């Protein structure tokens, strides 16, 4: 299934509303991960980026990219939506970096181009992982790192679609999540824990860590309603994968 055209239309349509709603929070401080804006200083997933060539795979309005560019990274922001890229260009600031439009499953970069590829609910949530992960691995240099945050299958399996909230009840088949309809033909993607491991290892990536970010019980979710409010303090809402590309001896 080619979800690229519909996903592009969706993000072009909702970009302005999304940024007005979320940029005051995610743009207010650097290196905030996920639905609960947990600092990378706490999770310690990304590491030092100074002097490294870095690709953000689904950069949106560039909140992460401009923060890392200010730290001395040689950034490239990449997104499917021209509206999102226009927002990134408008907010770029003094540290300039290139913006490239395209799909995560068809990266327009040469092999071994980057030291780090990362995303936070970006390209690896909105492109089929069995296509996008090998592409990310291809453009990494040997030893380079792929770090990405996605929703956990627990979160997706407990999502009550009619009520538009996450509950304590399992509602979807864990083994049948895969492609998730987002309306108007747009699609996001989810894998089981085992399938993530197989896709990553099949692309020649070694898993260094799997961080399950755990917000404090009073931390608000900036994107979804949960019942109870401390849902993600009790069960994993997100998976933050830390991997690197095998070096050929």
């Amino acid at each position: 299934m080619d979800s690229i055209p519909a996903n592009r239309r969706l993000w072009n349509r909702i970009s302005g509303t999304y940024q007005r709603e979320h940029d005051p929070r995610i743009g207010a401080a650097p290196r905030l991960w996920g639905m609960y804006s947990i600092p990378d200083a706490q999770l310690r997933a990304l590491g030092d980026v100074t002097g490294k060539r870095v690709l953000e795979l689904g950069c949106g309005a560039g909140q992460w990219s401009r923060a890392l560019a200010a730290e001395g990274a040689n950034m490239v922001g990449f997104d499917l939506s021209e509206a999102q890229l226009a927002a990134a260009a408008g907010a770029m600031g003094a540290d300039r970096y290139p913006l490239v439009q395209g799909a995560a499953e068809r990266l327009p970069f040469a092999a071994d181009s980057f030291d780090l590829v990362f995303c936070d609910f970006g390209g690896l949530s909105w492109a089929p992982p069995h296509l996008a992960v090998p592409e990310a691995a291809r453009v990494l240099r040997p030893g380079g790192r792929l770090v990405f945050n996605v929703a956990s299958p627990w979160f997706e399996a407990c999502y009550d679609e009619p009520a538009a909230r996450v509950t304590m009840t399992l509602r979807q088949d864990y083994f049948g999540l895969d492609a998730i309809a987002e309306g108007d033909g747009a699609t996001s993607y989810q894998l089981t824990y085992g399938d993530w491991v197989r896709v990553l290892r099949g692309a020649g990536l070694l898993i260094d860590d799997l961080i399950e970010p755990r917000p404090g019980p009073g931390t608000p979710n900036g994107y979804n309603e949960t019942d109870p409010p401390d849902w993600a303090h009790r069960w994993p809402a997100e998976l933050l994968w830390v991997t690197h590309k095998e070096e050929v001896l």
Side-chain angles (χ1 to χ4, degrees):
M1 177 176 62
D2 183 0
S3 57
I4 293 171
N7 285 359
R8 180 183 174 191
R9 287 194 298 271
L10 171 70
W11 280 101
N12 280 339
R13 177 170 58 82
I14 70 172
S15 173
T17 301
Y18 182 91
Q19 297 307 330
R20 283 192 298 274
E21 182 175 350
H22 298 295
D23 187 68
R25 185 179 187 188
I26 61 178
R31 293 188 178 229
L32 299 177
W33 285 109
M35 295 181 281
Y36 292 87
S37 298
I38 299 178
D40 188 60
Q42 176 182 331
L43 300 177
R44 305 175 72 175
L46 214 58
D48 182 18
V49 298
T50 306
K52 294 182 179 178
R53 185 160 167 78
V54 180
L55 173 66
E56 184 176 6
L57 195 61
C59 65
Q63 291 91 351
W64 271 96
S65 285
R66 67 176 177 264
L68 299 189
E71 293 179 25
N74 298 312
M75 284 302 309
V76 176
F78 181 83
D79 204 276
L80 181 62
S81 161
E82 56 264 40
Q84 290 282 72
L85 291 173
M92 191 172 291
D95 297 289
R96 313 299 292 179
Y97 58 91
L99 296 168
V100 179
Q101 185 178 9
E105 51 268 67
R106 305 172 188 169
L107 294 179
F109 305 108
D112 305 340
S113 295
F114 295 96
D115 301 299
L116 170 66
V117 175
F118 82 98
C119 62
D120 187 13
F121 282 84
L124 293 182
S125 295
W126 291 90
H130 72 281
L131 299 177
V133 168
E135 275 293 276
R138 179 184 65 80
V139 303
L140 278 173
R141 64 165 181 78
R145 304 168 72 231
L146 173 65
V147 179
F148 64 98
N149 192 35
V150 293
S152 83
W154 287 61
F155 194 86
E156 297 288 5
C158 290
Y159 192 79
D160 182 344
E161 189 69 41
R165 63 182 179 182
V166 177
T167 73
M168 293 190 294
T169 302
L170 289 168
R171 299 178 184 277
Q172 274 73 243
D173 182 349
Y174 171 82
F175 293 106
L177 289 170
D178 192 31
I180 300 169
E182 299 287 351
D184 296 329
T187 307
S188 64
Y189 296 87
Q190 179 59 267
L191 298 181
T192 66
Y193 286 87
D195 282 343
W196 273 120
V197 170
R198 281 182 282 276
V199 167
L200 291 164
R201 291 296 296 122
L205 294 164
L206 298 177
I207 299 167
D208 300 308
D209 200 359
L210 172 55
I211 302 168
E212 295 168 298
R214 188 186 188 197
T219 306
N221 185 315
Y223 298 82
N224 297 281
E225 182 182 346
T226 66
D227 182 15
D230 67 345
W231 194 100
H233 183 70
R234 302 169 67 185
W235 301 284
E238 300 170 299
L239 306 179
L240 179 49
W241 293 91
V242 182
T243 76
H244 74 274
K245 185 175 179 178
E246 291 183 277
E247 298 192 57
V248 180
L249 300 178

